[in-house]
Each structure stands twice: as C-alpha cells, then as structure tokens.
Amino acid sequence: AIFVIHNVAYTEIDWQAYMQQIDAIVTHGERDYIHIRGDTGPLVYPAAHVYIFAALHRITAAGDDIRLAQFLFALHVAVLA
C-alpha cells in the first residue's frame, strides 16, 4: 500500500464528495439526509460512514491532506489483513 501511495498518481473518485457531505454535517449542522449532498449526489451511507468520515474530515484538515488520508486507509487495510 505504501508503494502504491508513493508511486501511483492520486485519482479522485469519491473523496471530494464525501468531504462535501461531511462538511454539510460538521460545519453547517445539517442532519436531514435529503439536504446532505456532494458532487456525486446525496448521502446514501449509514451513520457509521458519517462518523468515520467525520473523523477523517477533522484529521485531514477538511479533506485537504489527501496523503494523510491515504496512509490512514493503508493502516486500516493492514489492520484488517
């Protein structure tokens, strides 16, 4: 995973949208799923997703530190393995 992080260019998939959705909750206090949206559409994941990505939102400066997020996901995968 570390090799991939260092040698493969970052490809945006859903990170930006997740951070937009979490920003609506954390920064703007929105709690109604109908009003929580990102570039890819509405928030459709359960509360556990929101809690995990809210922590990542906080740790990664609202999603700006993508490299840190990549390392945290690599650590997560290593722990699960």
Side-chain angles (χ1 to χ4, degrees), residues 2 25 31 41 53 57-58 64-65 68 77:
I2 303 301
I25 297 166
R31 296 291 184 257
F53 279 87
H57 184 272
R58 182 180 193 99
D64 288 339
D65 192 346
L68 176 59
V77 169

Side-chain angles (χ1 to χ4, degrees), residues 41-65:
L43 175 61
V44 295
Y45 295 107
H49 169 88
V50 172
Y51 293 135
I52 292 165
F53 279 87
L56 288 170
H57 184 272
R58 182 180 193 99
I59 294 167
T60 63
D64 288 339
D65 192 346

Side-chain angles (χ1 to χ4, degrees), residues 15-59:
W15 177 255
Q16 182 75 25
Y18 294 160
M19 291 298 107
Q20 291 166 344
Q21 293 165 347
I22 298 305
D23 192 59
I25 297 166
V26 173
T27 305
H28 304 291
E30 186 59 62
R31 296 291 184 257
D32 188 341
Y33 267 50
I34 292 172
H35 301 292
I36 302 171
R37 301 185 61 80
D39 286 344
T40 60
L43 175 61
V44 295
Y45 295 107
H49 169 88
V50 172
Y51 293 135
I52 292 165
F53 279 87
L56 288 170
H57 184 272
R58 182 180 193 99
I59 294 167

